[in-house]
Amino acid sequence: MDSMKHTEVELKFPLLNHMKLVEKLESVAKPQKQADFQKDTYFNPAHRDFLSKKPISEWLRLRESKKGFSLNYKRWHNEDGSKAVSCDEFETKIENIDALRKLLESLNFKKLITVDKTRNVWNYKDTEIAIDEVRGLGVFIELEAKGNFTGIEEAKKHLYSVLKEIGAEVGEQDFEGYPYLLLKRNGFL
């Protein structure tokens, strides 16, 4: 996946058979981390309004979890208005979250929204499978390609195959993400 080192390929869906799927994953997949509470705060820079572009193609996220703190930037491959499942992703661990918050504030980054979720993760056939219980939205499944794929299309095909194989019953695919869905639900979009 060297040619795709900073490229993330993932699928996300509302999950309809949450408990049944957890039972299945417990028997066929390797648990990676269980019940990790994550608080993701999304920011908007003053010099470039991420919300002005439709569809939204950039997010800057500050994550707090049991594992520590991280800063993440994603630029989705949807500039042409398409429904992207891949993005350029850059992430780094943060040692002092309070200092970073003050830095972002000082540089005029505005807080957009906070996403609170509990995440359980399994590894299965070169795929990271996360089941997220998102406050205010419900339960979702995310599948992320973790294998050595030659390109985005091959990784996508693999993820759809795994989704079918594990028997996940899902709603309509989400291409916008949790921050967008919460902003929309709360009347900000």
Side-chain angles (χ1 to χ4, degrees):
M1 203 160 181
D2 265 0
S3 65
M4 295 178 50
K5 184 176 181 181
H6 292 288
T7 302
E8 176 185 77
V9 180
E10 77 174 21
L11 308 178
K12 184 184 305 182
F13 300 87
L15 182 60
L16 307 177
N17 63 337
H18 174 211
M19 297 314 292
K20 185 177 175 185
L21 185 59
V22 167
E23 285 178 29
K24 168 115 182 188
L25 291 172
E26 291 294 330
S27 68
V28 300
K30 180 182 176 199
Q32 182 184 8
K33 51 188 168 196
Q34 300 299 315
D36 184 20
F37 178 77
Q38 297 176 341
K39 180 180 177 182
D40 295 341
T41 304
Y42 290 81
F43 293 89
N44 204 18
H47 69 284
R48 187 165 74 223
D49 182 7
F50 292 165
L51 302 182
S52 67
K53 208 170 180 192
K54 302 295 183 250
I56 295 170
S57 61
E58 296 177 281
W59 291 115
L60 180 67
R61 177 194 76 209
L62 180 59
R63 173 169 286 167
E64 302 171 62
S65 74
K66 289 180 191 175
K67 291 174 58 179
F69 311 116
S70 65
L71 183 66
N72 176 289
Y73 169 78
K74 291 184 183 186
R75 186 181 59 78
W76 291 93
H77 301 156
N78 63 354
E79 293 84 9
D80 60 356
S82 66
K83 295 181 174 183
V85 298
S86 63
C87 65
D88 297 326
E89 178 179 39
F90 306 99
E91 186 164 12
T92 189
K93 292 179 191 237
I94 299 300
E95 192 173 306
N96 185 331
I97 196 165
D98 293 325
L100 181 62
R101 273 197 195 99
K102 288 178 182 164
L103 183 148
L104 291 171
E105 247 175 59
S106 297
L107 294 173
N108 206 16
F109 281 72
K110 302 292 184 210
K111 177 182 163 186
L112 287 172
I113 194 130
T114 299
V115 177
D116 292 314
K117 67 179 178 279
T118 302
R119 172 171 278 187
N120 291 287
V121 179
W122 294 265
N123 291 317
Y124 180 75
K125 295 188 176 180
D126 293 328
T127 305
E128 182 179 279
I129 301 170
I131 295 182
D132 293 335
E133 296 179 52
V134 184
R135 186 181 303 153
L137 291 178
V139 181
F140 289 77
I141 183 171
E142 278 189 12
L143 297 94
E144 183 176 339
K146 291 294 188 178
N148 190 15
F149 300 98
T150 57
I152 292 169
E153 288 307 312
E154 180 189 7
K156 248 172 46 173
K157 186 177 176 183
H158 172 75
L159 293 177
Y160 282 114
S161 165
V162 166
L163 182 69
K164 185 176 180 182
E165 188 176 318
I166 62 174
E169 295 173 20
V170 297
E172 189 174 326
Q173 187 169 353
D174 170 44
F175 294 97
E176 280 97 8
Y178 304 140
Y180 177 87
L181 294 173
L182 283 170
L183 285 165
K184 190 174 177 184
R185 176 167 282 176
N186 293 327
F188 296 115
L189 294 175

